[in-house]
Amino acid sequence: MNQTVTYLQELTAIPSPTGFTREIADYLVKTIEGFGYEVTRTAKGGVNVTVPGVITDKQRYVTAHVDTLGAIVRAVKPDGRLKLDRIGGFPWNMIEGENCTVHVANTGKTHSGTILVHQTSCHVYKDAGTVERTQDNMEVRLDEKVTNEKETRALGIEVGDFVSFDPRTIVTDTGFIKSRHLDDKVSAAILLNLLRVYKEEQIQLPVTTTFAFSVFEEVGHGANSSIPAEVVEYLAVDMGAMGDDQATDEYTVSICVKDASGPYHYEFRQHLVALAKAQEIPYKLDIYPFYGSDASAAMSAGAEVKHALLGAGIESSHSYERTHLDSVVATEVMVDAYLKSDLVD
């Protein structure tokens, strides 16, 4: 797991809110080409690599997404602070108190800040703890000497500048990984490590497989295009959702049976379950009620494929997330077992 965790730390250190993913795509291209593969960039910014297998007329498509939640400057306020618009689905309270970086398009520079509710001081605002957090009162306090709109705009900051959240990635001695954007950089790290292993150990997969790193999953359309015509199986490697009534935990691989888009392909799911049982991979079956994936986006776009979804169990999704190395291991072993298996009947 050391190399997978290293990839994860490198990935989380690169800001990549949806729509601002060129830097992380460059990282993927450099890393994968370093393994010895030929890489393709899609028109909308994704990174694909096709690994030849024994079977070529029927193929597989395996995805992880590297775009994350984030924000974009909605307005510069009269006091010099920034009003935001969200990128991706999260409640405003999930980012309150978070340090952030403003990526200025006009200058190429960055400016640090903190995301706060306007009524932060409990010594001044009676409703500091109870006021509803909304787009109207959440703001970025810049780490610059600015007190009005003119001074902020003098920094080059304008509407449309992206805002990324500090990931705060920590790996504990007890095996927990705490960070923003484990959704879905854990999965991307897993796919990177498998690509490395397959090349170094000269492993030929039974089925030609495209590894696709998508960059628009958090806004719903993800890897619903650029799917080769030969693809018959589509596996999205994403996060397992945890909470009340959920079976998913931080120590196993979660196999999704249904999300907000509907059920995943039954025979494909059972194929994964059979592999997990045969290889003694700890797993849980689960439903993610308010969730969509690259695979479900592809189905909505009309892809004629069997589709499935699995991933590491992620606690506190879309907030300051956490998982355990046990879940990362189980997920990586599960993806590897699938890629080395026969096609789904």
Side-chain angles (χ1 to χ4, degrees):
M1 275 291 97
N2 287 344
Q3 190 58 59
T4 300
V5 172
T6 296
Y7 290 141
L8 174 59
Q9 292 169 321
E10 292 173 353
L11 288 164
T12 57
I14 301 172
S16 58
T18 308
F20 191 75
T21 55
R22 182 58 184 261
E23 183 181 356
I24 201 162
D26 289 346
Y27 165 87
L28 291 171
V29 170
K30 181 179 179 180
T31 302
I32 297 169
E33 286 183 341
F35 299 153
Y37 294 100
E38 182 177 339
V39 180
T40 301
R41 292 181 191 258
T42 70
K44 65 180 182 180
V47 174
N48 290 1
V49 55
T50 298
V51 180
V54 176
I55 298 172
T56 59
D57 59 330
K58 294 182 179 180
Q59 298 183 11
R60 285 171 165 157
Y61 201 73
V62 180
T63 68
H65 69 89
V66 292
D67 64 307
T68 69
L69 304 176
I72 199 165
V73 175
R74 173 71 177 84
V76 181
K77 302 178 74 171
D79 62 1
R81 295 192 177 192
L82 306 178
K83 189 174 182 178
L84 298 175
D85 198 21
R86 288 174 292 191
I87 296 174
F90 59 91
W92 286 106
N93 64 290
M94 295 294 192
I95 60 170
E96 184 175 1
E98 192 62 86
N99 289 327
C100 65
T101 301
V102 181
H103 304 268
V104 183
N106 282 336
T107 66
K109 295 182 179 180
T110 60
H111 298 277
S112 65
T114 306
I115 301 170
L116 301 165
V117 67
H118 180 75
Q119 301 94 320
T120 295
S121 177
C122 60
H123 293 99
V124 177
Y125 301 100
K126 185 177 181 180
D127 61 347
T130 59
V131 65
E132 182 182 1
R133 274 59 176 164
T134 69
Q135 185 182 57
D136 291 331
N137 60 18
M138 294 297 290
E139 60 191 21
V140 175
R141 179 188 66 194
L142 290 166
D143 299 326
E144 302 288 346
K145 290 185 176 181
V146 292
T147 59
N148 56 59
E149 180 182 351
K150 182 178 180 181
E151 290 172 342
T152 295
R153 290 190 184 278
L155 298 173
I157 295 173
E158 293 289 348
V159 172
D161 287 337
F162 283 88
V163 179
S164 61
F165 309 148
D166 184 354
R168 293 186 286 136
T169 305
I170 297 171
V171 182
T172 72
D173 292 339
T174 52
F176 288 98
I177 305 171
K178 302 188 293 184
S179 180
R180 284 195 175 274
H181 315 315
L182 296 181
D183 170 21
D184 185 32
K185 292 183 176 180
V186 166
S187 301
I190 286 171
L191 295 192
L192 280 177
N193 196 48
L194 289 176
L195 283 168
R196 177 188 65 85
V197 170
Y198 295 159
K199 181 63 71 171
E200 290 182 356
E201 298 184 5
Q202 298 183 332
I203 294 171
Q204 184 174 33
L205 298 177
V207 181
T208 297
T209 302
T210 295
F211 289 67
F213 297 86
S214 71
V215 293
F216 280 97
E217 194 276 346
E218 292 293 356
V219 295
H221 57 89
N224 64 1
S225 55
S226 304
I227 304 171
E230 295 82 5
V231 169
V232 295
E233 294 177 8
Y234 188 129
L235 176 67
V237 188
D238 208 323
M239 55 150 281
M242 294 176 58
D244 293 343
D245 296 327
Q246 297 297 108
T248 301
D249 59 33
E250 297 172 90
Y251 314 108
T252 61
V253 56
S254 181
I255 301 173
C256 183
V257 303
K258 177 185 180 295
D259 66 11
S261 69
Y264 282 76
H265 192 276
Y266 179 74
E267 284 78 19
F268 197 167
R269 179 245 287 190
Q270 290 303 99
H271 179 77
L272 296 173
V273 170
L275 288 172
K277 289 179 177 179
Q279 300 198 26
E280 299 184 340
I281 303 168
Y283 75 96
K284 296 290 177 66
L285 295 177
D286 214 347
I287 293 171
Y288 312 154
F290 310 109
Y291 188 112
S293 71
D294 280 325
S296 58
M299 299 304 289
S300 297
E304 185 58 44
V305 295
K306 299 178 177 72
H307 72 310
L309 167 64
L310 61 80
I314 304 294
E315 216 282 320
S316 299
S317 61
H318 283 196
S319 185
Y320 187 51
E321 298 165 342
R322 191 183 80 165
T323 191
H324 193 275
L325 286 171
D326 289 351
S327 189
V328 181
V329 170
T331 303
E332 186 162 323
V333 173
M334 183 77 253
V335 176
D336 181 52
Y338 164 67
L339 292 175
K340 292 175 178 175
S341 71
D342 295 330
L343 287 163
V344 178
D345 292 332

